[in-house]
Amino acid sequence: MSLPPAFADWFARQGWSPHPHQLALLDARGDSLLIAPTGGGKTLAGFLPSLVELSGGWQGLHTLYVSPLKALTADIGRNLARPVADLDLPIRVEDRTGDTKSSARQRQRTDPPQILLTTPESLALMLSYPEAPRIFGNLRRVVLDELHALSESKRGDQLMLGLARLRTLSPGLTATGLSATVEDPGALAAFMGGAAVIHADPGPDPDIAMLATARPAPWSGGGGHYAVPDVLDAVRQASTTIIFINTRAQAELFFQAIWAANDDNLPIGLHHGSLSREARARVEAAMAAGSLRAVVATGSLDLGIDWGNVDLVIQVGAPKNVKRLVQRIGRANHRYNAPSRARIVPANRFEVIECVAALEAVRAHDLDGDDRGPGPLDVLCQHMLLTACAGPFDADALFAEVRTAGPYRALTRADFDDCLQFAATGGYALRAYDRWQRLMERGGLWGLRDPRAARDIRMNVGTIVEAEMMKVRWRRGGGLLGEVEEAFAATLVPGDTFLTGGQTVRYEGLRELVIEVSPNPHKEPKIAVFSGLKLAMSTELSHRVLALIGDPARWDALPADTSDWLALQAEVSALPRPGTLLAETFPYMGRWHLAIYGFAGRNALQTLGLLLTRTMEGAGLGPLGFLATDYALLVWSLDPVADLDPLLDRQGLRAGLGDWLADNAVMKRTFKNVAIVAGLVHRNVPGGRRSGKQATFSTDILYDTLRRHDPDHLLLRITRTEAARGLVDFGRIDEMLDRSPRLDHRMLDRVSPLAAPLMLEMGRVRIEGQGRMRLAEAEAEAMMRDAGLTLTGGATGLDAPAPAPAPARVAAPARARRARPRTVPLPR
């Protein structure tokens, strides 16, 4: 297909010429996966074949566009409006998301537009209606935007099942995947069910570096507040800046800190998923209009939205994942062949090393990624129930259809039948209960036993299971501010203050399950704790960090204070190195401490801590607690661990994991998520929504019942698999032991330089006001001196919103304390 003259003229009027990859998609036959840099015109490339075909007229739905974010669909709609209007194309472009008005959704079921923009959840819902064959029967093209982001979660599995259904309803349709950051294009193409990969010119390398700061990164903490003045200086020098923060709670805190220091009154916004839709829309509109100088954001602005005037991205806190960093960098200079400009602010001393390693990976074009394994069966159970809502189905035909979806290409008939029996009856232990008798077979076809069940099934579509949230609004009929987690709301009493929407508010009371607040800007707030996404350092990035620490020849890339810190560690104890697992045992304040530098990610080391402390308890060592970071595990106890080898026995760890998981809150929490996705329990019910406590109570009872009466139940099998692979991440413990066959266990007489930041993370020092700040400074200085590190100028070793009087620096003492040999007896 060649570019028609009208389109060629339109490109010329914009001062553009079509990119080769855009023309390649125009000429492509069959499914395609386009890998192109941010700003490379991916979206226009994906829509160009549709616009050309639709220029001749079309009745009904022609192109379906699916993206991970509702905000992205709105942005795409704005961008498509321009060529449609300029070329006077007879096309309606509409969106269909959770934000779409019910009247528009109802009309789209009978009169769909030519181009419909939607999300995986809304697509699954549309496919559940009896009108689905008519709505999608003439569909010609499906565009899957930011496919790499979708492929990393159950939303992607749900989308691929939906794509398989669309292929059944409209044979011969063409699917186009769009992505900018892919470590394995072949695997992503296979995820689509098979597609030809088209590579665009990657464009220039980004301009990325650490942000120069007047003060060095603190020893511990995760807020990055020490760099607020430097971040503001960078904002002043740029047109528009996106400041990315990894979590919603940290975003609220950083926004408050930067606003307090914003003496120039620069217009700065806040954007994250727990703000009200209206608040997010205002920020997005201000960004599009170019009226904001900066926005503090979480992953809610990670993907695809084209803010043309953004010329700087600042990442506060280590990115934890190279692909995420590349994606965020691409938000700046969103133009082809223009280098993106980004700066990184590590939150603490360990993160300095991680950030340097991440920058090296970006420059080497070395992306990270993990094999997600086969498609999850709880998603398939939900898909079966939604398919039955649209009408009766043949099991053999549905099995063949599902196996055309990339994640389910290896699905066995036994697993399929287990899912079908669960969807039909709830499984062996639950089949006597009417509430789970949902499907039945009539004339060889499976359909809903009671058509009225379709409403409840549709109300609970989706695979995202987040913490239960409660809305926050101004008292006396004011507008919505956002949401906080139900567990946090339960801790509030009238008069308490907390942060939400970047403002300090006072809790007044609860009315109709909505939190009512009033402004209270002058009181120290509690912090709204958002669970959100717990980011763990990727395996590839952890390998880079370990290699950087273990090779002094590469320390020139590190700030001087960080390289001095590592040099002192090498003298006092030893450095973590590839192939060797470093551990240290030392006394401090009447307790014994064990530090294991595993570099296996927070989840894996958290699990290792649970397993080690159980074993230590059995050995009579008196474990008192532990702390896990992405880099290390710290355990404190009454008695020392003199011999670590038995505690790290792989067979013993696996046995301990099984025993621990059997009756643990982690399993129950995982089961709750699986049960919600599979449709065993419903969060949304007619007339309201179940509270998180109600849902947890129901799933806890079900979990205990199934364990007693049906231990091989499908959902328990899914739960065990997901708990081991996800929340506890035991596979990374295996990986840590595989790559570190040698154990170097050092017995020290005091805190080592590497362990000192971990000691500060233990929560021994809380910072609440100036009095506690002074105590924090004193304890931090004492601990650093004990570790052989010197703080000058009275700076605290912890990151806090309040500025410290002077920067800190590391200086090695005249005589470094040497590690004691392993055989030296230790005092009790």
Side-chain angles (χ1 to χ4, degrees):
M1 182 191 303
S2 60
L3 192 64
F7 285 81
D9 291 344
W10 180 79
F11 271 93
R13 289 197 302 272
Q14 315 308 313
W16 304 339
S17 59
H19 298 308
H21 57 271
Q22 294 173 328
L23 297 177
L25 265 187
L26 193 63
D27 294 332
R29 297 293 180 266
D31 295 346
S32 303
L33 171 62
L34 173 62
I35 310 296
T38 299
K42 290 189 305 297
T43 304
L44 182 56
F47 279 106
L48 193 55
S50 298
L51 296 177
V52 171
E53 291 178 17
L54 287 170
S55 62
W58 186 273
Q59 292 299 315
L61 182 61
H62 178 281
T63 296
L64 184 72
Y65 166 90
V66 187
S67 82
L69 299 176
K70 291 181 287 187
L72 188 51
T73 63
D75 182 65
I76 295 301
R78 289 191 295 266
N79 291 339
L80 274 180
R82 182 177 173 185
V84 168
D86 290 350
L87 291 162
D88 195 23
L89 301 177
I91 299 174
R92 278 168 43 215
V93 179
E94 297 179 2
D95 63 58
R96 193 346 180 147
T97 71
D99 291 343
T100 305
K101 293 181 179 179
S102 58
S103 58
R105 294 199 299 266
Q106 188 67 30
R107 175 180 51 75
Q108 288 166 356
R109 290 169 61 180
T110 57
D111 181 25
Q114 284 82 10
I115 297 178
L116 185 64
L117 317 174
T118 191
T119 61
E121 293 76 20
S122 290
L123 172 60
L125 187 59
M126 288 188 288
L127 286 169
S128 76
Y129 288 110
E131 301 94 336
R134 181 173 51 79
I135 295 172
F136 299 106
N138 290 324
L139 184 68
R140 304 318 304 149
R141 302 192 71 249
V142 178
V143 180
L144 309 171
D145 203 359
E146 304 291 355
L147 186 59
H148 67 282
L150 286 167
S151 69
E152 294 170 353
S153 71
K154 290 182 178 181
R155 300 181 75 203
D157 302 303
Q158 180 184 48
L159 176 58
M160 291 303 105
L161 289 172
L163 180 60
R165 177 110 286 249
L166 289 173
R167 295 188 193 280
T168 297
L169 298 177
S170 182
L173 68 81
T174 298
T176 300
L178 307 176
S179 185
T181 48
V182 181
E183 77 284 359
D184 188 348
L188 190 58
F191 179 81
M192 290 179 59
V197 180
I198 298 174
H199 289 276
D201 183 336
D205 287 339
D207 170 14
I208 54 174
M210 302 272 272
L211 182 70
T213 58
R215 300 173 60 207
W219 293 106
S220 63
H225 297 160
Y226 75 98
V228 162
D230 311 288
V231 170
L232 264 177
D233 283 343
V235 168
R236 291 187 189 99
Q237 296 169 30
S239 295
T240 306
T241 303
I242 300 180
I243 304 167
F244 280 113
I245 314 284
N246 286 338
T247 69
R248 288 172 283 180
Q250 288 174 342
E252 289 275 0
L253 286 168
F254 196 86
F255 177 78
Q256 187 189 51
I258 201 169
W259 191 254
N262 184 17
D263 296 332
D264 297 337
N265 286 320
L266 298 175
I268 300 174
L270 175 67
H271 193 287
H272 62 69
S274 291
L275 296 177
S276 68
R277 177 164 57 92
E278 293 76 13
R280 295 195 308 271
R282 285 195 297 269
V283 171
E284 291 162 15
M287 287 284 286
S291 56
L292 284 181
R293 292 294 301 276
V295 60
V296 177
T298 61
S300 58
L301 289 185
D302 265 6
L303 301 173
I305 301 176
D306 186 1
W307 311 117
N309 58 335
V310 173
D311 55 352
L312 177 64
V313 162
I314 298 177
Q315 166 70 39
V316 176
K320 303 300 175 187
N321 181 290
V322 180
K323 283 198 300 184
R324 181 180 301 110
L325 178 58
V326 170
Q327 187 72 45
R328 290 178 171 180
I329 290 170
R331 298 304 102 215
N333 288 347
H334 204 277
R335 298 184 300 276
Y336 198 41
N337 290 329
S340 299
R341 191 164 67 96
R343 298 294 180 261
I344 304 182
V345 179
N348 56 56
R349 202 61 61 93
F350 265 114
E351 284 197 359
V352 170
I353 304 171
E354 182 182 340
C355 288
V356 170
L359 290 174
E360 291 178 349
V362 172
R363 293 171 183 136
H365 305 285
D366 183 15
L367 302 180
D368 41 22
D370 295 314
D371 180 16
R372 289 191 56 245
L377 298 182
D378 53 344
V379 179
L380 178 57
C381 292
Q382 183 183 128
H383 180 71
M384 286 180 174
L385 292 170
L386 290 167
T387 301
C389 290
F393 62 84
D394 176 80
D396 293 338
L398 183 61
F399 175 64
E401 174 187 300
V402 167
R403 279 173 57 96
T404 66
Y408 295 90
R409 56 188 174 274
L411 177 72
T412 66
R413 185 59 192 247
D415 281 342
F416 177 87
D417 288 342
D418 284 348
C419 292
L420 182 57
Q421 285 304 312
F422 165 78
T425 67
Y428 170 77
L430 302 176
R431 61 185 179 182
Y433 297 89
D434 288 343
R435 63 179 296 186
W436 290 298
Q437 296 286 324
R438 293 168 295 188
L439 304 185
M440 66 181 301
E441 190 177 14
R442 302 183 184 94
L445 298 179
W446 290 88
L448 292 178
R449 183 181 296 271
D450 183 351
R452 292 174 297 182
R455 178 188 60 178
D456 293 343
I457 294 170
R458 292 187 182 116
M459 287 181 66
N460 290 275
V461 66
T463 63
I464 301 173
V465 183
E466 292 187 336
E468 298 293 330
M469 308 297 286
M470 298 187 70
K471 295 185 182 302
V472 181
R473 74 180 179 200
W474 294 118
R475 194 178 186 184
R476 297 186 178 90
L480 286 174
L481 279 171
E483 297 175 318
V484 297
E485 291 181 6
E486 186 181 88
F488 174 78
T491 69
L492 298 174
V493 297
D496 280 348
T497 57
F498 62 96
L499 274 180
T500 186
Q503 303 179 66
T504 302
V505 297
R506 182 181 190 273
Y507 174 66
E508 301 292 349
L510 194 66
R511 183 190 297 270
E512 297 175 352
L513 296 180
V514 176
I515 295 172
E516 293 193 331
V517 298
S518 60
N520 198 330
H522 303 299
K523 189 172 180 182
E524 188 77 13
K526 284 189 173 184
I527 304 303
V529 180
F530 302 106
S531 178
L533 182 64
K534 297 296 189 296
L535 304 178
M537 184 170 57
S538 68
T539 302
E540 289 80 357
L541 189 51
S542 66
H543 290 176
R544 281 184 168 271
V545 170
L546 184 59
L548 179 57
I549 291 176
D551 185 2
R554 298 174 54 192
W555 291 354
D556 288 345
L558 298 172
D561 48 28
T562 304
S563 59
D564 288 347
W565 172 49
L566 295 180
L568 185 60
Q569 170 70 19
E571 294 183 50
V572 172
S573 176
L575 290 170
R577 298 179 186 276
T580 300
L581 181 62
L582 175 66
E584 298 169 338
T585 294
F586 53 85
Y588 183 75
M589 292 183 65
R591 299 288 183 262
W592 286 95
H593 297 77
L594 169 67
I596 301 175
Y597 302 96
F599 295 90
R602 188 182 304 271
N603 291 342
L605 293 177
Q606 177 96 359
T607 299
L608 183 61
L610 290 165
L611 299 179
L612 289 189
T613 51
R614 280 171 58 94
T615 306
M616 290 171 64
E617 184 71 31
L621 298 178
L624 300 173
F626 69 90
L627 166 84
T629 71
D630 278 319
Y631 320 103
L633 169 68
L634 180 70
V635 182
W636 50 98
S637 58
L638 296 177
D639 295 315
V641 175
D643 186 4
L644 187 56
D645 292 276
L647 296 183
L648 294 178
D649 174 70
R650 198 175 314 217
Q651 186 173 353
L653 288 174
R654 285 193 174 278
L657 178 68
D659 294 341
W660 175 72
L661 284 178
D663 188 22
N664 191 270
V666 169
M667 286 292 279
K668 289 187 175 182
R669 187 174 65 192
T670 307
F671 177 80
K672 173 187 172 183
N673 294 348
V674 169
I676 288 173
V677 172
L680 184 67
V681 296
H682 290 160
R683 292 169 294 179
N684 299 310
V685 293
R689 180 181 175 93
R690 286 183 175 176
S691 71
K693 290 182 179 179
Q694 289 173 320
T696 299
F697 178 74
S698 299
T699 55
D700 283 357
I701 292 175
L702 287 169
Y703 176 77
D704 292 335
T705 300
L706 293 179
R707 278 192 61 210
R708 285 195 302 269
H709 302 293
D710 194 0
D712 199 39
H713 190 277
L714 174 68
L715 296 197
L716 291 184
R717 287 171 17 220
I718 299 172
T719 299
R720 288 191 288 268
T721 299
E722 293 205 355
R725 185 175 61 194
L727 287 173
V728 301
D729 216 354
F730 192 83
R732 290 196 65 177
I733 298 178
D734 271 337
E735 191 272 339
M736 177 191 77
L737 297 175
D738 286 339
R739 63 174 159 82
S740 305
R742 297 183 302 278
L743 174 65
D744 184 3
H745 186 189
R746 301 290 175 119
M747 310 299 287
L748 309 179
D749 62 357
R750 65 196 65 225
V751 181
S752 73
L754 274 192
L758 303 175
M759 302 293 288
L760 290 172
E761 291 276 9
M762 288 173 59
R764 297 176 187 272
V765 182
R766 293 177 302 158
I767 300 176
E768 298 173 4
Q770 290 301 314
R772 289 199 177 275
M773 189 69 174
R774 290 167 57 190
L775 290 175
E777 292 176 358
E779 180 153 349
E781 290 183 5
M783 189 175 296
M784 293 299 113
R785 283 196 302 272
D786 196 59
L789 305 173
T790 301
L791 289 171
T792 61
T796 179
L798 293 169
D799 183 41
R809 57 190 300 268
V810 177
R815 291 185 301 172
R817 301 181 180 94
R818 300 288 179 178
R820 293 189 175 187
R822 183 171 177 170
T823 55
V824 172
L826 294 169
R828 287 189 173 272

